């Protein structure tokens, strides 16, 4: 970035040196002075436009953005807002509704995106200093991980092992074979990827991510689109990988976190609203979770600020689960909260605060 700013000045200095050597007239030096002043104004205006984009500022900054920031987005989205956390190991789940900032956070941690403010450290080292070798320490599996359907599982992993500079044939065969066993695809190692189910393809992508044996694995929405059986199998795979590693995955399926994670983060509108064990997340809704039994087809009338958390058929009618700061209905009875109740209460409260 610095070279882009300095290059025009180097060019201008070269022109000036040549003008001095050839003893050009005064008009040449006046023209060079005008060019230098224009360049300084343009660079200062561009710097101001970049520094103040997305903020409410005074006339000068707005003018700079209007003149020197025409290529910048007109309205920026604040994807993450003061997210401060330290993650050391184990299985960590990130919960949040769509648009909460989960993918943005994972992309920043994986080095795909650079945060506009703040700092990221991997092993205590600023991420910017290890960005060139980050792939050796962080394995990242995004939501979209296109796989070549015409290749077999073994050939695909062997190909990526070569790209990852595992060049010794015996070591490569051992690494690929052990990962195929690790993800439970021994019987399909010779099958073409196009012939595999969605869950199996995800396991192939995980095996590729593990080829460098990274100590940190980041997975974005790993169970989307999987049937219940494949989802459980994939969840168990991530739990096994978390032994001796840090596995960080995002999801909007509360059940994935409830049974697999020792720590859960909840994001809502870009803010970290909870960080702790799953049991504590359920406790957030304690004293705020109620159940009301009504006849099937009956309409339940409640006051404002009451959130319906679910319904289930019971003998003689329907049981409606409600979240509220006080008793939401004369027939409501307090019940033990679940992880999902705590999650819904936090995210609903955050929406109301905004």
């Amino acid at each position: 970035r610095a070279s882009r700013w300095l290059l025009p000045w180097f060019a201008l200095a070269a022109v000036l040196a040549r003008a001095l050597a050839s003893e050009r007239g005064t008009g040449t030096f006046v023209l060079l002075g005008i060019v230098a002043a224009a360049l300084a104004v343009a660079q200062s205006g561009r710097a101001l436009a970049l520094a103040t984009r997305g903020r409410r500022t005074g006339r000068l900054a707005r003018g700079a953005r209007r003149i020197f920031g025409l290529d910048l987005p007109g309205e920026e989205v604040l994807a993450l807002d003061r997210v401060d956390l330290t993650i050391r190991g184990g299985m960590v789940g990130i919960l949040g509704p769509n648009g909460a900032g989960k993918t943005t956070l994972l992309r920043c941690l994986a080095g795909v995106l650079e945060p506009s403010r703040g700092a990221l450290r991997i092993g205590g080292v600023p991420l910017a200093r290890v960005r060139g070798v980050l792939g050796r320490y962080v394995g990242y599996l995004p939501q979209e991980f296109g796989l070549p359907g015409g290749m077999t599982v073994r050939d695909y992993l062997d190909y990526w092992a070569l790209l990852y500079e595992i060049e010794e044939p015996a070591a490569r065969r051992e690494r690929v074979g052990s990962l195929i066993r690790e993800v439970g695809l021994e019987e399909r190692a010779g099958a073409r990827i196009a012939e595999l189910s969605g869950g199996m393809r995800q396991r192939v992508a995980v095996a590729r991510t593990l080829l460098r044996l990274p100590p940190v694995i980041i997975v974005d929405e790993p169970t989307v689109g999987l049937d219940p059986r494949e989802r459980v199998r994939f969840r168990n795979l991530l739990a096994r990988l978390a032994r001796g590693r840090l596995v960080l995955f995002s999801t909007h399926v509360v059940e994935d976190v409830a049974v697999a994670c020792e720590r859960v983060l909840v994001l809502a509108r870009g803010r970290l609203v909870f960080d702790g064990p799953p049991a504590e997340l359920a406790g957030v809704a304690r004293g705020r979770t109620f159940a009301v039994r009504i006849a099937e087809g009956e309409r339940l009338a409640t006051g404002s600020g009451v959130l319906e958390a679910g319904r289930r058929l019971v003998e003689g009618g329907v049981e409606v689960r409600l979240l509220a700061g006080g008793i939401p209905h004369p027939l409501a009875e307090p019940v033990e909260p679940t992880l999902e109740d705590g999650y819904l209460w936090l995210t609903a409260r955050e929406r109301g605060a905004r």
Side-chain angles (χ1 to χ4, degrees):
R1 184 179 295 177
S3 62
R4 291 201 302 267
W5 290 83
L6 293 174
L7 188 60
W9 292 103
F10 287 145
L12 192 61
V15 173
L16 178 61
R18 189 169 181 178
L20 290 171
S22 59
E23 298 182 353
R24 295 288 179 90
T26 305
T28 300
F29 297 105
V30 171
L31 179 61
L32 288 175
I34 294 173
V35 171
L39 178 60
V41 170
Q43 289 191 342
S44 299
R46 179 65 176 181
L48 185 59
L50 287 170
T52 60
R53 56 181 175 169
R55 302 185 196 172
R56 294 182 179 179
T57 48
R59 288 184 181 179
L60 182 62
R62 289 199 300 271
R65 290 198 299 273
R66 202 171 290 126
I67 298 171
F68 302 104
L70 293 177
D71 61 320
L72 300 177
E75 182 179 348
E76 289 199 340
V77 175
L78 185 63
L80 295 172
D81 183 13
R82 293 168 290 177
V83 174
D84 187 6
L85 56 93
T86 299
I87 305 173
R88 302 193 182 279
M91 187 88 154
V92 181
I94 303 178
L95 281 173
N98 292 333
K102 303 187 299 296
T103 295
T104 300
L105 175 61
L106 294 186
R107 286 178 177 174
C108 288
L109 294 175
V112 177
L113 290 179
E114 185 174 350
S116 54
R117 297 181 187 86
L120 289 171
R121 295 178 181 271
I122 302 291
V125 180
L127 186 140
R129 288 175 52 186
V130 297
R131 190 179 296 276
V133 294
L134 194 61
R136 300 180 184 276
Y137 305 100
V138 178
Y140 175 52
L141 182 61
Q143 291 183 33
E144 301 294 334
F145 50 84
L147 301 174
M151 295 184 74
T152 68
V153 173
R154 183 177 285 109
D155 289 345
Y156 176 70
L157 295 177
D158 188 70
Y159 168 73
W160 272 93
L162 280 170
L163 293 181
Y164 285 153
E165 300 177 350
I166 308 173
E167 297 177 354
E168 206 281 312
R172 195 167 65 250
R173 282 195 301 271
E174 170 59 28
R175 180 75 58 82
V176 169
S178 67
L179 287 176
I180 288 175
R181 290 190 297 274
E182 177 73 18
V183 299
L185 289 174
E186 304 100 308
E187 296 180 0
R188 305 307 303 272
R192 296 185 184 278
I193 293 174
E195 301 170 357
L196 304 179
S197 68
M200 289 180 180
R201 286 197 292 271
Q202 284 193 320
R203 283 184 267 160
V204 173
V206 169
R208 181 194 69 194
T209 303
L210 291 172
L211 279 166
R212 282 179 163 170
L213 304 177
V216 178
I217 300 173
I218 297 173
V219 189
D220 193 4
E221 298 279 7
T223 59
V224 169
L226 299 185
D227 62 53
R229 183 178 177 183
E230 283 285 6
R231 197 173 79 229
V232 170
R233 184 179 290 147
F234 193 82
R235 202 167 57 205
N236 292 340
L237 169 62
L238 292 180
R240 288 202 307 272
L241 296 177
R243 297 168 189 162
R245 288 189 179 93
L246 164 61
V247 173
L248 183 65
F249 78 97
S250 70
T251 182
H252 60 268
V253 181
V254 178
E255 183 187 353
D256 289 341
V257 171
V259 300
C261 295
E262 53 206 62
R263 179 179 175 187
V264 57
L265 313 175
V266 178
L267 288 176
R269 298 206 176 195
R271 295 181 59 194
L272 182 65
V273 296
F274 179 84
D275 179 2
E280 288 186 11
L281 177 56
V284 168
R286 183 162 283 110
R288 302 182 174 97
T289 310
F290 303 87
V292 179
R293 290 197 176 192
I294 58 175
E296 192 170 353
E298 180 184 348
R299 185 176 178 180
L300 181 64
T302 60
S304 61
V306 178
L307 176 67
E308 185 174 315
R311 293 184 175 220
R312 68 186 183 96
L313 291 175
V314 295
E315 186 177 352
V318 178
E319 183 180 86
V320 184
R321 199 174 185 91
L322 301 174
L323 296 173
I327 298 176
H329 190 275
L331 300 179
E333 296 181 357
V335 294
E336 188 67 17
T338 64
L339 190 74
E340 188 170 45
D341 293 328
Y343 166 67
L344 289 174
W345 177 259
L346 281 175
T347 53
R349 187 178 63 181
E350 183 64 21
R351 280 198 301 272
R354 295 298 180 93

